[in-house]
Amino acid sequence: MRQYLFPKNFWWGAATSGPQSEGDFNKSHKNIFDYWYEIEPEAFFDRVGPKVTSNFYNSYKEDLAMLKEIGLNSFRTSIQWTRFIKDLESGEPDEDGVRFYNNVIDEIIKNGMLPVMNLHHFDLPIELYEKYGGWESKHVVDLFVKFAETAFKLFSDRVKHWVTFNEPIVIVEAGYLYQFHYPKIVDGKKAVQVLYNLNLASAKVIKKFREMECDKKGGKIGIILNLTPSYPRSNNEEDLKAAEIADAMFNRSFLDPSIKGEFPKILTDILEKDKVIWEASEEELSIIKNNTIDFLGVNYYQPRRIKAKESEFDESKGWLPEKYFDFYDMPGKRMNPYRGWEIYPEGIYDIAINIKNNYNNIPWFVSENGMGVEGEEKYKNKDGIIEDDYRIDFIKEHLQNLHRGIKEGSNCFGYHLWTPIDCWSWTNAYKNRYGYISLDLRTLKKTIKKSGRWIKKVSEDNGF
Ligand code: BGP
């Protein structure tokens, strides 16, 4: 008997991105990761760069057939700006890019899956960074809208679920605060402008989508945010306040404008007081106000533990969000030691209830969740299949918490694992594997793991 039955038409799927799966074959431009790997290969685990990744450019047919084989009914990937657009200024498409994405979309549909197409997954063309400062520039915002327009024109007849950005806060954090991604700048003021420009870009793309009447033809558009519920160390007032500010900075800074059309006041008050507020015009703010999303994707991996500041903020690096809180290393927390992320399945329930109570119960889905594990080879059985019971348990625990949220009325319509086939990860390259399907880096052979067989049954039964 199924103990956890999910709503009708639930999305059982998985997500990847263009830069992490396709390889750089035939691309007309380089993105910031292609470039960064060229100048600093040692920044990537085992010096493996984004050149081949999972070879999806060449093997998309076989790969998508495998996704069907494990019972998935929906699949997200992203259209690479650097592959799809030939002229970045005019938005004119690249012939081979058009051919490739047309084939991919057709093939997803042919295999009985719903295509979910994302327009940006950290993969800014390097030229736009060098010429204009990338997302620091509002001209780049407008070029992104042109790219989106070309994509809607060519694919919106078949693609009905669009996403403007994947995890835009990561562009801010990794590129402008904590140096995880190129350009590895530490500049709070720039970070704040980038945060605003990304919100503006998302709203402008949504505006374009509606002007082109993609919505009238059954299309829906959303954004994917990595939500990290911010839990205070204690219930004392200082810890609560610190957690509230961290939540406004890392979650509500995109959640509120995307759904309510407005930035949280607690955040804008701080940025104004500290004189680092973004440059914005009335017209832009009204675009943000009037072009909110149809659905939300939530990537959930880990919570954020916060405490009140314990030491004086060091002003020497200029303004940073940590002026208002410290990250809290909670003793005894359960960890994924390979990725260094806390495992806290209850977080997904809290997210479900937060969306229900504070965000008009907007339709949403889990757009990424998953467990990256190093050295999975050692779990191979005699038939060469990886027995990843730890992944099955991880997914089950998260689904149980999600189910509880849905039972209490949260409007969640799907669960996508990161990722269908082991794929390349930013600086970690192929260190940690996340897939339902394994990839042999040497031969590029793909093999379904135990979790892949398991999810097929879950998808067929719509629960477990
Ligand atoms: C998310 C990204 C994905 C993916 C995933 C796993 O933040 O949207 O692109 O990479 O995390 O994380 P990582 O690859 O860093 O281990």
Side-chain angles (χ1 to χ4, degrees), residues 106-107 142 148 159 164-165 209 240 275 300 303 310 360 402:
D106 289 345
E107 200 67 24
D142 292 330
V159 176
T164 57
F165 284 94
F209 186 78
L240 288 169
K275 301 196 169 51
Y300 176 66
E310 287 184 336
N360 315 325
L402 180 62

Side-chain angles (χ1 to χ4, degrees), residues 10-188:
F10 202 69
W11 286 6
W12 297 104
T16 187
S17 75
Q20 292 175 272
S21 62
E22 290 169 12
D24 71 353
F25 313 100
N26 281 336
K27 282 206 307 178
S28 36
H29 301 275
K30 289 184 182 10
N31 65 40
I32 51 174
F33 285 89
D34 299 322
Y35 172 76
W36 183 17
Y37 180 68
E38 262 176 31
I39 58 167
E40 204 189 339
E42 61 279 9
F44 298 79
F45 184 78
D46 270 352
R47 290 182 164 242
V48 175
K51 291 200 104 26
V52 180
T53 61
S54 315
N55 196 36
F56 186 72
Y57 178 82
N58 297 305
S59 61
Y60 68 92
K61 279 197 178 161
E62 297 80 3
D63 292 3
L64 291 168
M66 287 185 99
L67 268 51
K68 179 185 181 183
E69 199 183 328
I70 61 168
L72 305 189
N73 61 19
S74 45
F75 168 62
R76 166 169 64 111
T77 187
S78 69
I79 297 175
Q80 293 200 67
W81 199 344
T82 48
R83 175 184 300 293
F84 177 56
I85 297 294
K86 186 160 88 194
D87 184 336
L88 298 171
E89 296 291 331
S90 71
E92 185 201 327
D94 177 276
E95 211 182 304
D96 186 65
V98 173
R99 178 199 60 79
F100 174 68
Y101 289 116
N102 263 325
N103 288 345
V104 167
I105 291 164
D106 289 345
E107 200 67 24
I108 297 172
I109 296 171
K110 212 170 97 188
N111 280 289
M113 292 181 286
L114 215 72
V116 181
M117 297 308 273
N118 166 30
L119 294 168
H120 194 80
H121 203 121
F122 312 159
D123 54 339
L124 181 80
I126 183 68
E127 286 138 274
L128 299 186
Y129 180 71
E130 286 180 342
K131 258 195 184 157
Y132 304 115
W135 292 113
E136 296 159 40
S137 146
K138 290 187 187 168
H139 179 61
V140 170
V141 169
D142 292 330
L143 298 184
F144 182 61
V145 180
K146 288 190 187 169
F147 152 41
E149 182 178 359
T150 308
F152 297 152
K153 218 181 267 166
L154 294 176
F155 308 134
S156 69
D157 57 331
R158 288 152 291 156
V159 176
K160 299 299 173 193
H161 293 89
W162 290 90
V163 174
T164 57
F165 284 94
N166 175 79
E167 301 191 348
I169 193 70
V170 169
I171 300 173
V172 178
E173 289 174 322
Y176 290 88
L177 294 172
Y178 310 126
Q179 299 183 292
F180 298 148
H181 294 174
Y182 192 83
K184 295 197 281 174
I185 292 169
V186 183
D187 187 327

Side-chain angles (χ1 to χ4, degrees), residues 17 20 76 121-122 166-167 170 226 299 301 339 341 368 418 424-426 428 432 434:
S17 75
Q20 292 175 272
R76 166 169 64 111
H121 203 121
F122 312 159
N166 175 79
E167 301 191 348
V170 169
N226 50 313
N299 294 354
Y301 291 92
R339 188 59 181 86
W341 283 347
E368 283 182 31
W418 184 267
W424 185 79
S425 152
W426 319 113
N428 276 331
N432 304 316
Y434 284 87

Side-chain angles (χ1 to χ4, degrees), residues 184-223:
K184 295 197 281 174
I185 292 169
V186 183
D187 187 327
K189 176 123 178 68
K190 277 189 182 166
V192 165
Q193 189 66 49
V194 167
L195 185 151
Y196 172 80
N197 288 354
L198 291 167
N199 272 294
L200 178 64
S202 180
K204 281 191 160 184
V205 166
I206 295 173
K207 181 165 180 276
K208 179 59 74 184
F209 186 78
R210 299 203 173 123
E211 279 165 7
M212 293 172 74
E213 303 197 331
C214 299
D215 52 341
K216 300 227 166 80
K217 291 173 244 152
K220 297 212 179 311
I221 189 155
I223 194 166

